[in-house]
Amino acid sequence: MDIIQHSIAVGKYLVSPLIKDLDDGRFSASVSIRSGRGSGTHDRVMRFTPRFGSHAAAVRYAVDQGLGWVRERTAPHAHCPA
């Protein structure tokens, strides 16, 4: 198992891609999105079904998915009155 993290802090979130070497030479990707501190820490982990031919491609995909999740939750909503 080869898990290498390239964590990115975005506001209150920490986005960490988790990459695993597969037996067939490909890579799987997951991402951890952590928020909070101490006993109030919440960690969401998403596992993805695509398999990747390179470690870098798996990292890019996991980071893109994690940052997209964060953006959806932190962007102002057009339908909410200011």
Side-chain angles (χ1 to χ4, degrees), residues 22-68:
L22 301 174
D23 292 337
D24 65 0
R26 296 178 63 85
F27 300 86
S28 66
S30 301
V31 68
S32 162
I33 303 167
R34 181 172 292 177
S35 63
R37 294 189 185 276
S39 63
T41 299
H42 179 81
D43 194 8
R44 171 182 299 276
V45 176
M46 294 184 277
R47 293 183 180 93
F48 307 111
T49 55
R51 298 300 179 241
F52 302 90
S54 73
H55 185 272
V59 168
R60 277 192 306 273
Y61 186 85
V63 167
D64 288 348
Q65 295 299 310
L67 292 177

